[in-house]
Amino acid sequence: MKLIQKIGLGVFLVALFIFNSLLFMGSYQLTEQKLKQVTSEQSFGILKQELQPMLGKTYSSSFSFASAFNKYFNAYNTRQQENEQWDRVIWDDYKFAATKAASEGFVKNNRLLLLLLTIGLGTFGALMHILPKYRNEPAGIKHNGVMFSSNKSRGIIGITLGVYLIGIYVMLYWFPEYMVNWTLLVDPLSRMLTGGPASQWFLYGTIYTLAILVMGVRMFRKYRDNKYQLLRTSSVMFFQLSFAFLIPEILVLLNKPWHDFKNIWPLDYTFFFDYRVDSMLSSGSIGLFMFMWGILLIILGVPLLTYFYGKRWYCSWVCGCGGLAETAGDPYRHLSDKSLKAWSIERWMVHSVLVFAVVMTGFTIANYFTGFELLGQWTNNLHEWYGFLIGAAFAGVVGVGFYPLMGNRVWCRFGCPLAAYLGIVQRFKSRFRITTNGGQCISCGNCSTYCEMGIDVRWYAQRGQNIVRASCVGCGVCASVCPRGVLKLENGPEQGRITDIPVLTGNESVKVFS
Amino acid sequence: MKMKEEKLIGEFCIRSKARHVVIIGNGIAGITCARHLRKRDSSSRITIVSGETEHFFSRTALMYIYMGHMKYAHTKPYEDWFWEKNRLSLLHDWVTLIDFEKKELQLKGQELLKYDILVLALGSKPNLFGWPGQELKGVQGLYSYQDLQNMEASTTACERAVVVGGGLIGIEMAEMLLSRHIPVTFLVREQEFWDNVLPVEEAQLVGRHIREHHIDLRLGEELDKIQDDGNGNVNAIVTKAGEEIPCQFVGLTVGVSPNISLVRDTQLEINKGILVNEHFATNIPNVFAIGDCAEYRTPPPLRRSIEQVWYTGRMHGETLAHNLAHEPVPYQPGPWFNSAKFLDIEYQTYGLVTNKWEEPLISFYWEHPDGKKCLRLLFDKNTRQVQGVNAFGIRLRHDFFDKALQNNITVEQVMEQLHKTNFDPEFYDRHYEEILQAFNAKFGTSLRLPVKSKKKSLLALLGFKTHR
């Protein structure tokens, strides 16, 4: 590693340290005025009374503040519930907003400086580490030492990172009040884009997008002679920055619903939920377009594009989850399990999630038209459980937190219902395949090792069989790492695409059926 | 007629249902034979003996373990449960003696093993030419898993390494050492890298690329002796020109030869390798030899008598498995093909491209201006029939050339179908036009690629690729 790269890494780690220490900085004090800003009029009247003991009191950490807030807030709600005063229960969640408003002192007063010292410096350090990579080296496969790396090979660094990421996701989904200081940093950016303060989701979107952009640059360095990888990486970077990050926030600025035009049901599992449908249908022609476009993608976009190009058109060129996996997750792609057993678990799991999503959506739509008469409460429970289990725990905590433990596509492989839908089309009605080049395979195993979806590519390649698998996201890395030019992703005629009993090219003595 | 067939089968090998087929060696030849025999014959007992490793791994991937691209487990093409499920018994032991009379094997650590049919797939061993100091610690070849372990141990504190011999294993070893940031001096006897196989332009192309990687490539230099540090370790080599090069590791990669010490001085007829007929039968009934260790008494047309590549090992295994299960067929490989990777540059060859040729053979050579890609076709000046093709930095379609060479394709036909020969990934630069122009300029032809109509291009845009 060159000196400048080491300095870059050091700078990044310093920024990360500062970033984390912000959570423990500053103090928290809620005043009546602040409370009024973040609550509805009706709730304010109640909470002013209920939270009286903590108003004006200074707490030294978000943890103690949030626990005090919860104590008084829950006490009130419990009382109302016990008295069956359902209409007086406060259903809105003010924890995050109140904690954020209460944050005072160092972080709040130095937002711009701290933004630069954390996210800014971190990006700078990461780029300083990444940009000089492979300089003065001929272009080629850059996997030297991957298996010796503590970070990339489930060593102590990898496991620590995994635990850290899991912690971040748990906080993001269930305890966002602990990370209000982080959201303060991106408030100015949020006000610029959307006109409002930053939620934890805005913060998450910002860091997520930055991660894809910075690690996308790493992909540019790593695969600088590989046009397929360069184009594909540019594509995910573009879709994340524009479709997933900027456009939705600008829509909010224009008083339209937040909408990611490339997100497709059932990955976007709330698409048919009543509040989403209502907000789209009440937002004029652009809202109507959102709704129609979303449905067109489901019934036409997915089958047609997958027929022509395979599911890669989405999973490794457009999708945000795929975008992160293909950039920030690239160093961990080899950690996926290639065993037959893992494949069997994968098929059960991912298709079960698809069934879950379809059933849930079916009930949701039925309820929408029947005014919540058909198992209305039960549908709400379904929504909650899906959101908790699949939306948060699986897609978020496991999906990214497990990068350094089980590879970068755990969610895509085992959990994503859209991937399951795309996969069914790809497997049974598509022109896409990975062609095996006759008898040239030497069974080395690079293709299988670096397959992020855990496909045992070599199993097919060494018997001269084309690879047609529902899970293949078409990242093209197998074809890149193959030392003998055996694999080629291509779209072609359906005839001859699937060869159940392949014949290896090269031996004329016998017809060899592998 | 029927009787005659049965007689032939009966003579070829024991056909009893419960016969015990023992295969020595779990490389690609032995394992392929075992797998295909099991597919064709569910009743035989099949045992594979190997002292090298318990399970089959890809020998060609040894370098990637050292380089940290893969772990040993990744190089195993089949999961460990595969063998038991297919009733292929694995015996992890070295065979020390074969008694062809009693039909039994003596093993190093276990009891005698009796066989009905014996398949020898013994592989190769690195050549040594009696250099002084070749037995020192830190001096070795690279063929087996044990060699890899030795290399790992010998290079932990290595400041410079010398690799002797400019072949495929030599350049692999150089690349391996480079991945650990160990400076490498590469002694190659020939005037250009691997020019006993490659025509000079290709040899120079690879040579340039080797130097681009800062390997100290010494062409036309030979090893004289290896020097001792006083404790039995290497500390320098001396070239024939008298130069002393200090080093802590020496890789000897001057080719391999059949690993037949186990069967030397037995009734088994050997020459350089174990002599076999076109069915892989040796002179002893029910004993067969395949893979690197086999030597054809009569080589198939245009082939060498010993073929030591992955693909031929595999085809031997396929063919012998067929012969043990059905009426024997002679070994009849299709057009020759091979591949390798020189650091970052991939190489594929189909048919026969020799390093030198004479009329009526002539050659067409195209090289990309960046000097890292090239294409060569060797063909008959009069009949225009293509004899072979070399490609560096360009992937070619095996099926195309397999059929084309069998159908005596002409060079002009290949030129007009360049787009069908290509196997490069999508979006890579195609060089059909440049290659065709170079061909037309050299041979005064006016060949053209089929013109794509606009309609076709639109279809191509939609994913309907029109070739293939």
Side-chain angles (χ1 to χ4, degrees):
Chain A
M1 213 183 340
K2 297 172 190 96
L3 182 67
I4 187 163
Q5 288 187 276
K6 284 186 185 162
I7 296 172
L9 190 61
V11 168
F12 175 79
L13 290 173
V14 167
L16 185 66
F17 178 78
I18 300 174
F19 187 63
N20 286 315
S21 52
L22 291 187
L23 294 185
F24 307 96
M25 285 181 186
S27 56
Y28 298 81
Q29 192 193 54
L30 194 62
T31 60
E32 211 178 292
Q33 203 186 356
K34 286 182 183 174
L35 185 65
K36 194 172 179 183
Q37 281 169 4
V38 297
T39 49
S40 69
E41 213 167 304
Q42 196 191 359
S43 302
F44 176 65
I46 301 164
L47 289 175
K48 194 169 61 175
Q49 299 301 319
E50 298 298 324
L51 299 177
Q52 196 58 46
M54 63 184 297
L55 291 184
K57 196 172 156 189
T58 304
Y59 293 85
S60 62
S61 73
S62 58
F63 308 99
S64 55
F65 177 87
S67 97
F69 183 91
N70 282 344
K71 190 175 86 183
Y72 298 120
F73 187 85
N74 292 342
Y76 167 79
N77 270 353
T78 313
R79 233 167 36 238
Q80 306 310 319
Q81 280 165 348
E82 276 169 2
N83 300 333
E84 304 199 0
Q85 298 279 350
W86 300 111
D87 53 333
R88 299 188 58 179
V89 173
I90 300 178
W91 298 106
D92 291 330
D93 187 353
Y94 293 121
K95 231 180 323 173
F96 172 79
T99 314
K100 189 172 174 189
S103 180
E104 286 186 340
F106 183 65
V107 181
K108 180 135 192 181
N109 300 334
N110 296 286
R111 278 188 297 201
L112 196 63
L113 176 72
L114 288 172
L115 177 69
L116 287 176
L117 281 178
T118 55
I119 297 175
L121 196 66
T123 308
F124 178 74
L127 287 173
M128 213 164 134
H129 179 71
I130 289 164
L131 284 172
K133 267 191 166 198
Y134 316 121
R135 187 167 289 172
N136 303 326
E137 273 177 47
I141 296 307
K142 307 296 181 195
H143 284 152
N144 285 349
V146 166
M147 297 296 160
F148 312 138
S149 156
S150 173
N151 175 24
K152 297 173 190 170
S153 224
R154 278 192 282 252
I156 188 78
I157 296 177
I159 292 171
T160 309
L161 185 63
V163 171
Y164 174 75
L165 288 172
I166 290 168
I168 298 276
Y169 271 91
V170 169
M171 201 155 73
L172 176 71
Y173 281 105
W174 296 294
F175 306 99
E177 59 273 21
Y178 298 151
M179 53 197 275
V180 291
N181 278 355
W182 286 350
T183 61
L184 283 172
L185 300 182
V186 288
D187 264 347
L189 181 65
S190 174
R191 287 190 193 285
M192 208 168 78
L193 281 173
T194 69
S199 66
Q200 73 268 36
W201 301 115
F202 183 83
L203 169 82
Y204 178 54
T206 309
I207 295 180
Y208 195 101
T209 306
L210 260 179
I212 289 183
L213 294 179
V214 171
M215 291 300 275
V217 172
R218 175 184 168 278
M219 288 296 278
F220 289 159
R221 296 298 304 156
K222 183 175 175 184
Y223 286 108
R224 67 174 201 258
D225 65 333
N226 187 322
K227 288 205 172 153
Y228 185 79
Q229 299 301 340
L230 293 178
L231 273 168
R232 194 172 65 80
T233 306
S234 311
S235 173
V236 293
M237 287 162 81
F238 165 77
F239 278 104
Q240 176 62 31
L241 182 62
S242 56
F243 280 64
F245 185 63
L246 293 176
I247 295 174
E249 304 296 351
I250 291 168
L251 283 170
V252 173
L253 182 70
L254 303 174
N255 270 324
K256 300 293 174 200
W258 192 101
H259 194 83
D260 177 353
F261 283 98
K262 63 160 180 55
N263 204 356
I264 307 175
W265 178 91
L267 174 60
D268 183 9
Y269 63 93
T270 59
F271 186 79
F272 292 103
F273 286 12
D274 52 333
Y275 71 90
R276 287 278 305 273
V277 174
D278 287 342
S279 86
M280 283 187 277
L281 295 184
S282 62
S283 299
S285 53
I286 191 156
L288 193 64
F289 174 72
M290 286 171 186
F291 191 60
M292 298 309 294
W293 173 251
I295 290 173
L296 274 179
L297 279 177
I298 300 162
I299 57 174
L300 276 179
V302 167
L304 271 179
L305 287 166
T306 309
Y307 172 71
F308 286 124
Y309 304 111
K311 77 197 257 189
R312 57 181 173 160
W313 78 267
Y314 192 73
C315 295
S316 63
W317 284 73
V318 172
C319 177
C321 307
L324 192 72
E326 295 295 344
T327 51
D330 178 72
Y332 309 105
R333 52 170 54 252
H334 53 281
L335 298 174
S336 59
D337 190 337
K338 316 302 189 302
S339 67
L340 200 60
K341 182 145 195 190
W343 182 19
S344 135
I345 295 171
E346 162 198 319
R347 282 176 296 177
W348 278 102
M349 271 180 98
V350 77
H351 295 118
S352 302
V353 174
L354 177 61
V355 170
F356 188 177
V358 169
V359 168
M360 176 180 74
T361 306
F363 275 108
T364 307
I365 294 172
N367 269 312
Y368 191 82
F369 288 111
T370 58
F372 293 86
E373 291 193 347
L374 180 77
L375 302 165
Q377 187 52 41
W378 198 68
T379 307
N380 279 341
N381 282 340
L382 263 186
H383 288 181
E384 271 175 33
W385 276 102
Y386 190 95
F388 171 73
L389 281 177
I390 313 296
F394 208 154
V397 180
V398 175
V400 180
F402 277 36
Y403 273 14
L405 309 175
M406 286 174 69
N408 55 337
R409 286 278 193 177
V410 177
W411 159 247
C412 314
R413 181 182 178 193
F414 295 99
C416 177
L418 179 57
Y421 172 26
L422 288 155
I424 290 168
V425 180
Q426 168 161 290
R427 172 66 184 76
F428 295 106
K429 193 70 189 170
S430 172
R431 296 165 54 84
F432 171 74
R433 86 295 306 275
I434 304 174
T435 305
T436 290
N437 199 11
Q440 284 280 24
C441 177
I442 52 165
S443 302
C444 72
N446 273 296
C447 51
S448 295
T449 303
Y450 287 93
C451 176
E452 54 190 355
M453 294 304 281
I455 300 171
D456 192 357
V457 183
R458 164 175 56 192
W459 174 270
Y460 303 87
Q462 67 190 355
R463 58 207 294 260
Q465 187 174 14
N466 291 346
I467 296 108
V468 177
R469 277 277 289 267
S471 64
C472 175
V473 293
C475 69
V477 167
C478 57
S480 307
V481 299
C482 176
R484 305 300 175 102
V486 175
L487 302 163
K488 176 169 161 62
L489 282 67
E490 55 186 355
N491 314 313
E494 284 176 84
Q495 193 193 3
R497 171 176 174 257
I498 298 177
T499 40
D500 283 331
I501 307 172
V503 180
L504 261 175
T505 312
N507 191 355
E508 299 295 314
S509 328
V510 280
K511 280 278 166 242
V512 181
F513 300 115
S514 294
Chain B
M1 187 67 192
K2 195 155 189 258
M3 271 185 68
K4 198 179 163 195
E5 267 177 34
E6 276 166 7
K7 198 179 169 204
L8 180 56
I9 293 174
E11 276 172 358
F12 185 72
C13 66
I14 290 173
R15 300 276 174 186
S16 68
K17 273 209 143 191
R19 62 183 176 170
H20 186 200
V21 179
V22 174
I23 299 168
I24 305 179
N26 67 351
I28 180 65
I31 289 294
T32 306
C33 180
R35 280 197 313 111
H36 284 273
L37 183 59
R38 178 51 82 224
K39 280 171 194 288
R40 296 164 188 276
D41 168 4
S42 63
S43 67
S44 292
R45 247 179 88 202
I46 303 175
T47 305
I48 304 159
V49 191
S50 168
E52 187 183 12
T53 53
E54 186 183 355
H55 297 107
F56 170 49
F57 72 98
S58 176
R59 192 172 301 292
T60 49
L62 279 176
M63 64 183 291
Y64 299 112
I65 302 175
Y66 185 87
M67 291 164 71
H69 294 206
M70 285 190 273
K71 293 181 174 162
Y72 167 67
H74 294 120
T75 68
K76 293 195 267 190
Y78 303 94
E79 288 185 62
D80 291 349
W81 50 258
F82 176 88
W83 309 105
E84 201 185 323
K85 189 184 170 222
N86 289 287
R87 290 176 293 120
L88 299 168
S89 317
L90 305 178
L91 203 57
H92 186 195
D93 205 343
W94 295 101
V95 178
T96 50
L97 194 82
I98 305 173
D99 189 331
F100 291 109
E101 293 291 318
K102 293 187 186 157
K103 301 181 89 172
E104 60 187 27
L105 308 178
Q106 239 177 52
L107 302 172
K108 199 169 174 185
Q110 289 165 72
E111 290 181 6
L112 288 174
L113 184 67
K114 284 194 138 327
Y115 65 82
D116 298 308
I117 290 174
L118 183 65
V119 177
L120 299 166
L122 305 174
S124 297
K125 60 176 181 6
N127 285 338
L128 294 173
F129 291 124
W131 288 292
Q134 69 182 24
E135 71 295 334
L136 289 170
K137 262 198 229 157
V139 181
Q140 65 168 96
L142 178 67
Y143 183 86
S144 67
Y145 186 68
Q146 282 69 31
D147 290 337
L148 180 76
Q149 288 175 314
N150 289 338
M151 187 169 166
E152 183 73 55
S154 297
T155 53
T156 45
C158 177
E159 284 168 23
R160 174 164 289 275
V162 173
V163 176
V164 181
L168 295 178
I169 300 179
I171 189 148
E172 279 183 8
M173 223 176 188
E175 185 179 358
M176 289 160 78
L177 292 159
L178 216 57
S179 78
R180 301 275 183 104
H181 307 291
I182 299 170
V184 182
T185 298
F186 196 4
L187 295 191
V188 174
R189 188 182 59 178
E190 291 76 24
Q191 292 308 311
E192 295 292 349
F193 178 80
W194 212 32
D195 70 0
N196 49 341
V197 175
L198 298 179
V200 65
E201 286 87 353
E202 285 95 314
Q204 284 173 346
L205 181 149
V206 179
R208 284 195 304 270
H209 186 55
I210 291 172
R211 293 205 162 104
E212 189 187 4
H213 274 273
H214 308 293
I215 294 171
D216 175 24
L217 176 63
R218 309 284 190 89
L219 295 169
E221 290 206 39
E222 284 185 68
L223 175 67
D224 186 36
K225 60 185 175 203
I226 305 166
Q227 289 179 345
D228 191 339
D229 71 344
N231 297 317
N233 302 308
V234 54
N235 81 343
I237 62 118
V238 179
T239 66
K240 283 231 167 113
E243 187 186 353
E244 184 179 309
I245 302 172
C247 59
Q248 293 72 45
F249 179 81
V250 177
L252 296 177
T253 59
V254 286
V256 294
S257 40
N259 175 28
I260 50 170
S261 46
L262 183 65
V263 294
R264 217 174 274 283
D265 305 320
T266 63
Q267 306 98 295
L268 198 66
E269 283 181 21
I270 55 174
N271 179 32
K272 280 182 181 161
I274 301 166
L275 289 168
V276 294
N277 67 8
E278 73 277 22
H279 300 120
F280 298 104
T282 66
N283 63 309
I284 303 176
N286 296 303
V287 177
F288 303 88
I290 49 174
D292 283 14
C293 71
E295 178 176 348
Y296 315 125
R297 288 176 195 273
T298 316
L302 298 172
R303 311 286 277 218
R304 295 165 191 239
S305 61
I306 302 175
E307 296 184 317
Q308 293 156 312
V309 298
W310 178 269
Y311 309 116
T312 50
R314 189 176 67 198
M315 289 189 264
H316 292 181
E318 291 163 359
T319 313
L320 178 61
H322 172 95
N323 292 354
L324 294 177
H326 312 290
E327 187 191 345
V329 293
Y331 174 56
Q332 194 193 334
W336 173 259
F337 66 99
N338 200 4
S339 67
K341 193 172 181 186
F342 301 101
L343 300 159
D344 302 312
I345 298 182
E346 285 172 27
Y347 154 67
Q348 292 185 345
T349 186
Y350 300 97
L352 284 184
V353 179
T354 43
N355 60 338
K356 293 187 179 72
W357 52 89
E358 284 169 10
E359 298 239 345
L361 282 182
I362 54 171
S363 142
F364 166 67
Y365 180 78
W366 171 86
E367 190 174 295
H368 188 269
D370 74 4
K372 288 188 172 188
K373 289 176 186 172
C374 74
L375 182 73
R376 179 186 299 280
L377 286 135
L378 212 56
F379 59 96
D380 187 298
K381 189 179 153 189
N382 305 316
T383 65
R384 313 305 282 176
Q385 190 184 319
V386 175
Q387 182 184 294
V389 52
N390 270 355
F392 284 75
I394 298 173
R395 294 176 172 179
L396 299 177
R397 223 176 256 272
H398 187 182
D399 280 334
F400 178 89
F401 282 103
D402 186 67
K403 288 193 189 76
L405 291 165
Q406 289 188 59
N407 295 329
N408 302 330
I409 197 166
T410 66
V411 67
E412 281 79 11
Q413 285 170 324
V414 173
M415 282 294 139
E416 284 175 332
Q417 300 178 71
L418 278 174
H419 55 292
K420 289 188 185 170
T421 67
N422 190 278
F423 199 71
D424 275 334
E426 294 156 302
F427 305 117
Y428 272 43
D429 293 337
R430 315 288 176 195
H431 304 290
Y432 314 140
E433 282 300 337
E434 295 128 86
I435 295 171
L436 204 57
Q437 274 175 24
F439 186 88
N440 283 337
K442 179 160 180 187
F443 296 101
T445 48
S446 50
L447 303 172
R448 293 169 73 178
L449 286 167
V451 185
K452 276 190 204 165
S453 69
K454 283 207 170 159
K455 194 177 151 201
K456 268 188 179 170
S457 311
L458 184 68
L459 287 175
L461 191 73
L462 286 171
F464 286 106
K465 285 261 169 68
T466 39
H467 62 77
R468 206 191 136 79

